[in-house]
Amino acid sequence: MEQRLISRQEVKSVAVKVGEFVELNAMDDLKESPLYNEDLAPTKVEQRTWHKGNVAALWVGMAICVPTYTLGGVLTAYFGLSVVEALLTILVANIIVLIPLTLNAFSGTKYGIPFPVLLRSSFGLYGSNLPCLIRAVVACGWFGIQTMFGGVACHLLLSSVSSEWAALGSAGEVYGFFMFWALNVFVVVKGSNSIKLLESWSAPLLLAVGLGLMFWALPQIDVAEIMATKGNRPEDASATPYLMAGVTAMVGFWATLSLNIPDFSRFVKSQKDQIVGQAIGLPLTMFFFAALGVVLTSASMSLVGETVSDPINLIGKIDNPMLVAIAMTLIIVATLSTNSAANVVSPTNDFQNIAPKYIGEKRGVFLTGFIGILMMSWELLKKMGWIESDVSVEALYSNWLLGYSSLLGPIAGIMIVDYFIVNKQQLDLVSLYKRGGRYADVNYQGMAAFLIPVGLTLYSILTGNMHWFYDYGWFTGSLMGGLIYYALKKQQAIAAQ
């Protein structure tokens, strides 16, 4: 009997079910697709090794950072809340944000796909680039902000051991920025295992340091007096709009990760692990470290003679070089664990999605890094004394929280409706990586469901009308985006019958 050798090109890529997972066996038909590269490819089952402890450590490592420390102050100074209201707002908001985080993580855990590839289902194979780029720009901005904090810590660390370095002044902070920048790039280029190890080792250390700082500061303050601090708003004003704006902003703090959580859940070993790990790691860590910020800021007058609202400058004022050196090392670790996971992984994948054959993981990392430098160039130039600017980094990110959550909300709603209601948790894994399959180049239903809420947000900002739509941006955007998407997909299904 004559046998015919089947060429490799004739063997088609297939998706196979392995327990609760789906795994992709990619052949040349897929590997040659312009939508595929090895970094965006689904993880293999043997790569999905993260357990709930790793997921919880990831969130501890991301939540313990300078912006979290300052959230209590941001809510009291910019949103008119009392200290008690601010801390409760942070806790409630992070319980709320667990819902989209957990739901959007399901697809990553089941199919092993990153965020940009999942978006190809709801926005189209090429249409996915629009929400990807919006997410990427936000991440690059946060990368620049966190790198600035890390650079200050590097400067203070070196200043504690070298008077020559201390003499550099603010220029030393700029050099520290680029040192910390290089450290972040190195960690992410090394891959997911390096992030897993960094978060797993740093999480218990950071929690221990936080507890130590709390016990150190408590004797210096009157907790009852701090808790009695009233909100910075008119006495006869209703608290509701202030609380809602605060909750919206705090949800916006992790609105980015609620989208790209598949970038991490694709490495988790079960749905139970991602659910339990996130529930353990996020809300209480955010609440504790924000509370620590309130306590230490209040204690700073007793500790250093002036009110200091961020831990880097507070510790830098302590007259003990050894203590400063140790504390700055720990802050560098904390900021590194946040920045590398929260602000580099996502844009790296997002930029790859534009042209997978030309932008791999390393190029995506460097592209993220260079855009982060550009977005913070005004602050770097100011520190060098080359320009003058009244814009502070704190004001930048406190105002950014509400604004960008309005843009990201519709994407979250669309993703959840598409995966759980429209597709009923069933994706065509092969078609996500090549044209001619189940998914269109542009999903116009997804585009419309995204652009309509964004258009209303811009209308609200520019005209002052419907200001509630902007104030509650993440909630209004996600609900409207999800409902419009469902209605349009329903209409499409009826028309196809």
Side-chain angles (χ1 to χ4, degrees):
M1 181 174 62
E2 184 179 7
Q3 294 183 332
R4 182 173 65 89
L5 293 177
I6 301 176
S7 69
R8 184 174 176 82
Q9 286 78 7
E10 293 174 358
V11 179
K12 299 295 184 182
S13 302
V14 294
V16 295
K17 194 164 173 47
V18 183
E20 67 174 292
F21 300 124
V22 176
E23 187 176 79
L24 179 65
N25 289 335
M27 299 299 174
D28 283 353
D29 66 312
L30 210 57
K31 292 180 179 179
E32 293 171 0
S33 168
L35 294 166
Y36 178 95
N37 72 20
E38 292 297 332
D39 297 318
L40 291 179
T43 51
K44 295 293 185 182
V45 171
E46 59 266 22
Q47 293 176 288
R48 306 180 199 184
T49 59
W50 291 30
H51 52 70
K52 53 182 166 288
N54 298 129
V55 177
L58 173 74
W59 276 110
V60 171
M62 289 195 294
I64 296 181
C65 59
V66 175
T68 302
Y69 178 99
T70 62
L71 286 181
V74 167
L75 287 173
T76 54
Y78 292 93
F79 290 86
L81 301 184
S82 69
V83 169
V84 171
E85 289 170 342
L87 294 178
L88 287 176
T89 294
I90 291 166
L91 181 62
V92 169
N94 281 281
I95 292 172
I96 292 171
V97 86
L98 269 179
I99 298 171
L101 274 166
T102 302
L103 292 176
N104 281 330
F106 265 78
S107 54
T109 303
K110 180 176 180 179
Y111 290 96
I113 54 176
F115 165 67
V117 175
L118 175 61
L119 278 185
R120 293 174 183 177
S121 172
S122 51
F123 285 86
L125 300 177
Y126 292 101
S128 60
N129 284 316
L130 175 63
C132 276
L133 287 175
I134 290 173
R135 170 66 183 96
V137 168
V138 170
C140 289
W142 273 113
F143 172 74
I145 289 170
Q146 292 276 19
T147 303
M148 186 64 67
F149 288 133
V152 173
C154 288
H155 167 66
L156 291 175
L157 170 62
L158 293 171
S159 296
S160 68
V161 297
S162 169
S163 57
E164 289 83 1
W165 187 278
L168 292 172
S170 59
E173 296 180 9
V174 176
Y175 303 144
F177 175 95
F178 287 101
M179 291 177 190
F180 190 71
W181 182 95
L183 192 57
N184 280 270
V185 169
F186 173 78
V187 168
V188 180
V189 165
K190 296 293 286 184
S192 62
N193 276 333
S194 67
I195 295 174
K196 175 183 173 183
L197 289 172
L198 173 65
E199 304 296 349
S200 297
W201 281 99
S202 64
L205 177 64
L206 296 175
L207 285 174
V209 170
L211 288 170
L213 288 172
M214 184 71 84
F215 287 122
W216 171 57
L218 282 175
Q220 314 293 329
I221 60 168
D222 184 339
V223 174
E225 183 180 341
I226 293 175
M227 293 297 108
T229 304
K230 294 182 178 180
N232 181 27
R233 61 176 185 263
E235 287 194 16
D236 58 344
S238 169
T240 302
Y242 293 90
L243 288 167
M244 286 300 299
V247 169
T248 301
M250 292 305 99
V251 169
F253 191 83
W254 289 122
T256 51
L257 265 294
S258 72
L259 301 184
N260 76 282
I261 191 64
D263 289 335
F264 300 101
S265 66
R266 64 196 292 236
F267 297 102
V268 179
K269 62 195 303 183
S270 73
Q271 297 292 2
K272 180 180 178 181
D273 282 285
Q274 69 93 354
I275 295 169
V276 174
Q278 295 199 87
I280 293 173
L282 176 61
L284 292 178
T285 305
M286 288 290 292
F287 178 80
F288 166 69
F289 207 65
L292 175 65
V294 171
V295 169
L296 283 180
T297 300
S298 300
S300 60
M301 180 61 73
S302 300
L303 296 171
V304 298
E306 62 180 288
T307 300
V308 183
S309 61
D310 79 82
I312 297 176
N313 286 316
L314 172 60
I315 296 169
K317 292 178 181 297
I318 296 173
D319 189 20
N320 185 325
M322 180 62 71
L323 179 59
V324 171
I326 294 172
M328 287 303 135
T329 301
L330 295 174
I331 287 176
I332 289 168
V333 171
T335 311
L336 177 64
S337 64
T338 301
N339 215 20
S340 58
N343 303 321
V344 183
V345 172
S346 175
T348 294
N349 288 337
D350 295 338
F351 290 135
Q352 288 184 77
N353 194 61
I354 299 171
K357 293 301 182 189
Y358 299 98
I359 305 176
E361 184 176 52
K362 289 184 179 179
R363 288 185 179 180
V365 171
F366 283 108
L367 189 56
T368 298
F370 286 124
I371 294 175
I373 292 173
L374 290 175
M375 294 182 74
M376 292 304 292
S377 59
W378 60 276
E379 180 69 11
L380 295 171
L381 293 173
K382 186 170 73 171
K383 286 181 179 295
M384 292 297 294
W386 297 345
I387 65 169
E388 293 185 6
S389 173
D390 294 329
V391 179
S392 69
V393 175
E394 184 182 75
L396 177 68
Y397 73 73
S398 63
N399 291 328
W400 198 348
L401 290 174
L402 195 62
Y404 82 66
S405 69
S406 302
L407 297 179
L408 301 184
I411 302 174
I414 291 166
M415 289 172 66
I416 291 169
V417 169
D418 180 72
Y419 184 70
F420 286 96
I421 299 176
V422 175
N423 288 306
K424 297 179 173 58
Q425 301 185 62
Q426 302 299 316
L427 299 176
D428 185 340
L429 203 52
V430 175
S431 293
L432 286 172
Y433 289 92
K434 69 177 183 179
R435 299 179 67 188
R438 176 177 167 184
Y439 306 106
D441 286 357
V442 178
N443 185 341
Y444 292 103
Q445 291 81 14
M447 288 292 186
F450 171 66
L451 292 174
I452 290 172
V454 168
L456 288 174
T457 299
L458 294 175
Y459 170 79
S460 173
I461 294 171
L462 295 174
T463 66
N465 298 323
M466 294 176 59
H467 209 271
W468 57 270
F469 195 90
Y470 171 71
D471 287 343
Y472 311 141
W474 189 88
F475 296 99
T476 53
S478 58
L479 288 171
M480 179 173 281
L483 289 172
I484 292 174
Y485 185 73
Y486 175 76
L488 293 176
K489 295 302 285 187
K490 189 80 171 175
Q491 183 179 18
Q492 182 188 37
I494 293 172
Q497 291 177 351

